[in-house]
Amino acid sequence: MQFDEIDRKLLRFLQEDAKQTTKELSYKLSLSVTAVYERVRKLENTGIIAGYVAILDKKKIAKDFLVLCHVKLTQHKKEYILQFEKEVMNLQEVTECFHVSATTTIS
């Protein structure tokens, strides 16, 4: 899908506040409400807008700190990685998990 400047502005406005009405967005973009609605629908249908989320105030929900952990697996076989992923998905406290790998070159 090709983006134009209006699409970029629309996405920026939605990232700032996704609860804006199409009427509010149409005013900001100088477009009709229908044109804004169709653009948003197109962005959703093509998967560019994958969803909408609520950003929580961590302090108000008593989750005001972030912990990064380094976990090293004993073996890097696919079944070990899949088992780890399965186990970590059951931990409510874990909100994100990244698999980082690197290669070493010897000179």
Side-chain angles (χ1 to χ4, degrees), residues 20-58:
Q20 295 178 77
T21 64
T22 52
K23 185 175 181 179
E24 291 171 318
L25 292 166
S26 70
Y27 177 76
K28 291 178 180 181
L29 295 167
S30 300
L31 293 174
S32 70
V33 172
T34 304
V36 171
Y37 176 82
E38 292 299 324
R39 282 179 182 262
V40 171
R41 274 281 176 241
K42 182 175 67 170
L43 292 166
E44 290 171 343
N45 291 338
T46 57
I48 291 166
I49 295 177
Y52 297 92
V53 298
I55 299 174
L56 307 177
D57 184 329
K58 293 178 183 180

